[in-house]
Amino acid sequence: MALETLLATSLEPPAADQPSRRALVLMGGGARTAYQVGVLRALARMLGEDAPFPFHIVLGTSAGALNAAYLGSRAGDGCSAFDQLGAFWSRLRSHHVNRLSAWLPYRPVEVLALQPSASLDELALKHVQELPAGTRDTLAGLGALETRRHGAGSAAALASYLLFEPGFVHALMRLGEIDAQQREGELRAFFGAAQHDDAPVAVR
């Protein structure tokens, strides 16, 4: 389901005889998505193992889609589906998912990773007024602009993905420049060791 479809669906007023719908959105992340299972198992204990399945819509990407597909097939089991998903993950092993062998002709790859030194969600909230009124109203309706809650890592993150506006874009570029300058020595060493003027550039 596209983001636009999800937003539009969430804005449709439910029919008078139709209760509000609850959606579960599961992001990808490989083995780290087992964290999602822990959250859901705790939710099952809060609601009760015999409680009905609490979500009407389940969405997922990558490994999150694996969790979504499993839950969709067991939704009829209610909240006990979450423990069943936990049992599934407990049986998983690395060789079930990937088959990497030491004899393959691997070579060491030098890696330099940079991450933002400031929260992009909080930065986005400072620029939400730049969004078109319709988009801003949609985010407000979803709770994505709520600054009093500790939701900067969840609903508020949506704003940072939609803010294709000069103020936010330039703030991101400035942050990238500052973060790179803070690690100038590492960057110079990284490119100095591997710099070849005539090296071809591979675009994939």
Side-chain angles (χ1 to χ4, degrees):
M1 181 181 292
L3 177 60
E4 181 179 356
T5 304
L6 177 59
L7 293 180
T9 301
S10 67
L11 292 178
E12 293 175 0
D17 58 346
Q18 180 182 357
S20 298
R21 289 171 292 181
R22 217 177 275 114
L24 175 65
V25 182
L26 302 170
M27 65 181 292
R32 294 181 295 180
T33 51
Y35 174 85
Q36 300 168 356
V37 185
V39 173
L40 293 171
R41 288 171 66 178
L43 177 63
R45 289 193 292 272
M46 296 174 195
L47 299 179
E49 295 289 342
D50 297 330
F53 196 76
F55 301 103
H56 304 92
I57 303 171
V58 181
L59 306 171
T61 59
S62 191
L66 177 68
N67 286 342
Y70 189 99
L71 291 174
S73 69
R74 303 297 176 92
D77 295 336
C79 282
S80 64
F82 301 144
D83 274 333
Q84 295 174 36
L85 180 59
F88 168 78
W89 272 88
S90 296
R91 293 191 299 269
L92 273 182
R93 298 294 182 270
S94 295
H95 68 271
H96 296 152
V97 181
N98 54 72
R99 297 181 182 275
L100 302 179
S101 302
W103 59 265
L104 290 176
Y106 294 131
R107 62 182 179 83
V109 176
E110 188 175 357
V111 177
L112 177 63
L114 276 73
Q115 295 182 341
S117 59
S119 167
L120 302 189
D121 300 343
E122 294 179 5
L123 184 60
L125 289 175
K126 296 178 181 178
H127 293 270
V128 292
Q129 296 304 318
E130 300 174 26
L131 285 167
T135 304
R136 194 167 60 247
D137 291 343
T138 298
L139 292 176
L142 292 171
L145 307 185
E146 178 56 74
T147 59
R148 292 171 297 175
R149 299 182 303 175
H150 297 288
S154 53
L158 188 56
S160 67
Y161 285 93
L162 302 178
L163 255 167
F164 294 95
E165 302 296 338
F168 182 61
V169 169
H170 292 159
L172 282 179
M173 292 192 291
R174 283 196 299 271
L175 179 62
E177 290 178 12
I178 292 171
D179 288 347
Q181 290 168 356
Q182 292 292 327
R183 301 181 63 178
E184 180 178 357
E186 294 175 74
L187 283 165
R188 287 187 177 277
F190 183 83
F191 288 100
Q195 185 67 47
H196 300 287
D197 292 340
D198 298 327
V201 176
V203 180
R204 298 174 180 171

